[in-house]
Amino acid sequence: MVEIELDGKKVEVTEGSMVMHAAEKAGTYIPHFCYHKKLSIAANCRMCLVDVEKAPKPMPACATPVTQGMIVRTKSEKAIKAQQSVMEFLLINHPLDCPICDQGGECQLQDLAVGYGSSSSRYEEEKRVVFHKNVGPLISMEEMSRCIHCTRCVRFGQEVAGVMELGMIHRGEHSEITTVVGDSVDSELSGNMIDICPVGALTSKPFRYSARTWELSRRKSVAPHDSTGSNLIVQVKNHKVMRVVPFENEEVNECWIADRDRFSYEALNSDERLTKPMLKQGGEWKEVDWQTALEYVANGLQQIKNNHGASAIGALVSPHSTVEELFLAGKLVRGIGSDNIDYRLRNAEFAATQGVQWLGLPIAALSTLQSALIVGSNLRKDHPLFAQRIRQAAKKGCKVFAINDRVYDWALPVNASVVAAGDWAQALADVAAAVAEVKGVSAPVAGQVHDEAKAIAAALLAGEQKAVLLGNAAAHHAQASALLALASWVAEQTGAAVGYLTEAANTVGAQWVKAMPAGNGLNAAQMIDGGLKAAILLNNEPEFDSAAGKAAIAGLNKAEMVVTLSPFKANLEFSDVLLPIAPFTETSGSFVNAEGRLQSFHAVVKPLADTRPAWKVLRVLANLMGVPGVDYETSQDVLAEATGGAAQVPANVLSNAAQAVSAVPAGNVTAPAVASIYQLDSIVRRATSLQLTADARQVREGGAA
């Protein structure tokens, strides 16, 4: 540790720290633009100049290492004068367009100009003009004359997103931030550039000119898409979601969010929203009131139960639904007398599991891994923030290996083994054989010890922090249990963690509240294939959300009654009833992320029109069906019963235990059903700007994203 004196106070910081780090520890604010705690130090804005005793001139706090006994003054006349001079230079070419700038009210330059700027300028020459660029549907670069060349966006692309999509060209007053000859910005984390831009050069294209920052209410929430469970601030005006930005949580999403968490809100205000209950009568859809719709559903379910038995009724539920909704769906179905409920719509295998399958380690631990084997995952697109953490680990020397059916660009160094999906189990068996050879133990099944398997085994046997991670394709694989068994054996022998990069916001929660069949209950594939007379679809569209794809339409058309609970006009071909339920912004609820962290949230806006929270709809249906014990007053009451009052999934419930595998299964299997980045759920599918991105276009044109 090194002790310095900062504005008369003694501060201890680790050796190699900068003066800026000491100031942060002491709670002393030093003005800055280019410095960002998550990015490398550039020292190019010079706003953080401070007075260091015995130094001949002011020094940049962000790039001046501390030394024992150093004396620093951040508010001396010398420091303040230097900072004021820098501000004067920064404002020479900055346009005077604060009244029309989207960044107005949350602009670092605007804020610091009040304290360090002058009331007038000594420069009367024409200001420079930088032409706008079109870089895609998410980021606006219409006013690049505002850019102060802090290069935060450039460094973010290189260091966090892993793709240098922006760079600086030319010199002096001709310098400008741009893409390479008209390219667009296509990173799945690109929206974070908007947040870290300290001026109004990079702004949100969907949000542009729609509201002023001081008009917006700010409310905390949790992302409903992938399994990171990113913490959000949802900004609201006139009961309408206008913008979504990250809420900092170092243990979960740090200060970043993925683009689908940021821009999917557009779907919440789209024309596809279902606003009133609807019944199909004579092939025509007609709007009805809630009482009529609910009584129609209850009477229909009762009639089917009387005619075909309770086992003819089932529920297909989405892992993007809340803990409360999934618990009540299960209570409704089981209260009727059926055990047909399943969230595993994309799975091809439905083996019984012990405990709740999860990530196997804290999310934050991904940043410090020393070696990782990832099986069946397009990591960067399936889990953008997990990929970002593993990218940081790779920079520190983490060796990343992948077993996939194709080479994906993860924007990090990876040793990829390209193996047909049907041969993934054999590839893992080969790794197990290589581990067994080194350790002098028997391999669980026969495998070939080749160079690739040896390299993976050596990496996993070295170091202390390592993981074997199964992706969405591995979870949905026809040999999922064999893959888990082999991965578990390798992890046990090497001392690595083993777990799933779980697909959805509440995959872990769905398991916890047992949104799966037990006993003789039908699984999702059997229900979709025509195994039901009455189907309840909670927050999903089987055509897009299941392994069956378009075949789901024919399977569900065999049912006598299909009830869809959705925020959108969905499943019109085969549904008989549409019940408008609230998306995550209009209801209270909870999600459990990949690491087993339970995160609850409140509604941030009122339900649209006649929309109702799904937990309330399910509670009323259960009451009408005579199901006992469902008289809940609030979603918190539901949560308390669903979780037994636990604040997170108990450690003894989290388990990636697997049955032993005696032989490698035959390799002739179909490709696993995996959703692409902007097709994951009903909300992102209806977000206009996300569907205009390069990733979405690539999928429409037959590629993979």
Side-chain angles (χ1 to χ4, degrees):
M1 299 294 284
V2 174
E3 186 180 84
I4 71 167
E5 183 182 305
L6 184 77
D7 291 340
K9 293 191 294 186
K10 300 290 184 184
V11 184
E12 270 197 1
V13 288
T14 55
E15 193 172 356
S17 297
M18 302 296 161
V19 171
M20 184 70 82
H21 300 141
E24 285 179 342
K25 186 172 182 182
T28 299
Y29 179 73
I30 298 175
H32 60 272
F33 294 113
C34 68
Y35 172 77
H36 190 281
K37 63 183 178 181
K38 294 289 183 182
L39 303 176
S40 63
I41 291 169
N44 52 11
C45 78
R46 316 308 281 184
M47 190 65 212
C48 64
L49 292 175
V50 292
D51 179 7
V52 178
E53 193 167 279
K54 296 182 180 177
K57 58 183 180 180
M59 304 292 286
C62 68
T64 303
V66 294
T67 57
Q68 182 64 36
M70 175 186 275
I71 298 174
V72 180
R73 300 180 185 89
T74 69
K75 296 177 176 61
S76 67
E77 184 181 354
K78 183 178 180 181
I80 297 293
K81 192 170 182 179
Q83 291 161 0
Q84 288 173 337
S85 297
V86 170
M87 177 59 71
E88 185 174 22
F89 279 121
L90 286 172
L91 293 176
I92 288 174
N93 277 310
H94 198 80
L96 299 173
D97 58 359
C98 293
I100 58 138
C101 178
D102 248 17
Q103 195 87 349
E106 53 186 5
C107 172
Q108 278 183 262
L109 184 66
Q110 195 177 48
D111 293 343
L112 292 178
V114 172
Y116 299 90
S118 174
S119 59
S120 60
S121 174
R122 291 184 288 175
Y123 294 89
E124 297 177 354
E125 293 79 8
E126 281 189 30
K127 292 181 181 286
R128 68 175 189 148
V129 174
V130 181
F131 291 109
H132 65 82
K133 288 97 179 163
N134 182 6
V135 294
L138 305 180
I139 297 178
S140 172
M141 294 180 74
E142 291 292 315
E143 287 91 7
M144 290 306 292
S145 298
R146 300 170 183 163
C147 178
I148 61 170
H149 306 148
C150 70
T151 69
R152 279 186 180 183
C153 56
V154 177
R155 285 175 285 144
F156 173 84
Q158 281 181 296
E159 299 165 15
V160 180
V163 186
M164 186 177 172
E165 295 179 296
L166 295 177
M168 186 183 289
I169 60 172
H170 306 315
R171 300 182 68 183
E173 71 168 5
H174 302 294
S175 299
E176 59 180 284
I177 300 291
T178 185
T179 59
V180 178
V181 196
D183 283 353
S184 55
V185 173
D186 298 318
S187 162
E188 61 287 346
L189 297 172
S190 65
N192 293 291
M193 293 180 183
I194 299 166
D195 293 335
I196 63 175
C197 180
V199 295
L202 304 181
T203 53
S204 168
K205 195 169 278 190
F207 174 72
R208 187 175 165 79
Y209 295 149
S210 58
R212 282 303 204 171
T213 179
W214 53 84
E215 299 174 317
L216 301 170
S217 301
R218 289 161 174 77
R219 294 157 191 176
K220 289 166 65 175
S221 192
V222 178
H225 306 303
D226 65 37
S227 59
T228 307
S230 296
N231 290 199
L232 310 176
I233 293 289
V234 180
Q235 300 184 348
V236 174
K237 178 185 176 184
N238 296 333
H239 303 294
K240 184 178 177 182
V241 175
M242 304 299 291
R243 183 166 61 170
V244 175
V245 296
F247 180 77
E248 187 170 344
N249 185 334
E250 276 297 314
E251 295 178 328
V252 181
N253 56 299
E254 299 175 85
C255 56
W256 317 120
I257 54 173
D259 286 352
R260 66 180 164 204
D261 298 331
R262 182 184 301 272
F263 297 108
S264 64
Y265 73 88
E266 284 185 295
L268 306 175
N269 307 318
S270 73
D271 294 337
E272 289 194 55
R273 282 295 301 272
L274 180 64
T275 56
K276 288 181 178 296
M278 299 180 78
L279 297 181
K280 189 186 287 182
Q281 296 177 336
E284 296 288 321
W285 284 103
K286 296 184 179 178
E287 292 183 349
V288 296
D289 58 68
W290 269 102
Q291 185 173 350
T292 301
L294 291 170
E295 287 178 356
Y296 180 91
V297 173
N299 292 336
L301 292 176
Q302 190 62 53
Q303 190 173 341
I304 288 168
K305 180 181 177 180
N306 294 341
N307 294 343
H308 304 284
S311 60
I313 301 170
L316 293 161
V317 296
S318 169
H320 299 277
S321 298
T322 66
V323 168
E324 295 83 351
E325 292 162 4
L326 294 170
F327 174 74
L328 277 174
K331 197 152 189 180
L332 168 62
V333 170
R334 293 185 177 109
I336 291 171
S338 172
D339 201 29
N340 303 331
I341 180 171
D342 208 346
Y343 78 92
R344 300 167 297 176
L345 276 67
R346 291 194 177 97
N347 283 28
E349 186 195 77
F350 299 90
T353 58
Q354 300 173 1
V356 172
Q357 295 176 335
W358 65 302
L359 184 61
L361 72 169
I363 289 173
L366 294 173
S367 303
T368 57
L369 288 175
Q370 294 166 305
S371 57
L373 171 59
I374 301 168
V375 182
S377 174
N378 184 1
L379 179 69
R380 180 178 162 195
K381 303 301 182 182
D382 293 347
H383 303 92
L385 292 177
F386 290 174
Q388 186 275 133
R389 284 190 180 272
I390 293 174
R391 192 173 295 123
Q392 303 314 312
K395 285 185 188 175
K396 301 170 195 164
C398 176
K399 294 182 178 178
V400 182
F401 297 85
I403 296 174
N404 271 318
D405 59 354
R406 70 190 76 178
V407 175
Y408 294 109
D409 177 11
W410 289 355
L412 58 88
V414 57
N415 299 284
S417 298
V418 181
V419 180
D423 296 325
W424 289 351
Q426 185 60 59
L428 272 175
D430 294 348
V431 174
V435 170
E437 184 178 84
V438 174
K439 296 200 71 178
V441 298
S442 298
V445 293
Q448 296 180 339
V449 182
H450 47 76
D451 289 345
E452 284 185 359
K454 283 181 179 178
I456 296 170
L460 290 175
L461 285 162
E464 295 180 0
Q465 295 172 306
K466 48 233 178 162
V468 181
L469 302 170
L470 300 172
N472 295 352
H476 303 159
H477 201 281
Q479 300 165 352
S481 57
L483 294 175
L484 175 59
L486 288 162
S488 297
W489 190 91
V490 170
E492 184 181 354
Q493 293 295 322
T494 59
V498 63
Y500 283 97
L501 298 159
T502 55
E503 178 187 43
N506 206 24
T507 300
V508 173
Q511 298 172 72
W512 190 17
V513 298
K514 297 181 170 54
M516 298 177 289
N520 296 322
L522 300 179
N523 62 45
Q526 292 167 328
M527 287 190 268
I528 291 171
D529 196 35
L532 300 176
K533 294 295 181 184
I536 300 168
L537 307 181
L538 175 60
N539 205 18
N540 65 82
E541 299 167 87
E543 180 184 351
F544 307 108
D545 293 325
S546 77
K550 287 190 178 298
I553 298 173
L556 288 164
N557 265 325
K558 296 175 186 176
E560 293 179 15
M561 184 169 79
V562 177
V563 182
T564 291
L565 289 79
S566 173
F568 304 102
K569 296 167 185 171
N571 304 330
L572 298 175
E573 300 97 320
F574 50 79
S575 293
D576 300 286
V577 187
L578 299 180
L579 301 178
I581 60 168
F584 78 107
T585 51
E586 298 169 21
T587 183
S588 55
S590 309
F591 293 132
V592 182
N593 71 359
E595 67 180 354
R597 181 188 296 262
L598 176 71
Q599 300 185 108
S600 296
F601 53 90
H602 297 289
V604 299
V605 291
K606 294 189 298 187
L608 181 67
D610 277 351
T611 299
R612 297 289 181 268
W615 73 268
K616 290 187 177 180
V617 176
L618 292 164
R619 180 197 64 189
V620 173
L621 275 176
N623 286 330
L624 291 173
M625 294 299 295
V627 176
V630 288
D631 298 322
Y632 306 105
E633 293 293 326
T634 65
S635 63
Q636 286 83 356
D637 295 341
V638 183
L639 180 66
E641 184 173 335
T643 63
Q648 62 181 45
V649 184
N652 63 333
V653 175
L654 293 169
S655 171
N656 291 312
Q659 301 290 333
V661 61
S662 56
V664 176
N668 186 21
V669 299
T670 57
V674 180
S676 60
I677 184 169
Y678 298 134
Q679 291 292 316
L680 182 64
D681 57 67
S682 59
I683 297 179
V684 292
R685 284 195 291 270
R686 291 169 172 84
T688 306
S689 297
L690 292 178
Q691 296 308 317
L692 295 173
T693 60
D695 280 332
R697 289 199 312 271
Q698 188 178 348
V699 171
R700 286 196 296 272
E701 292 162 7

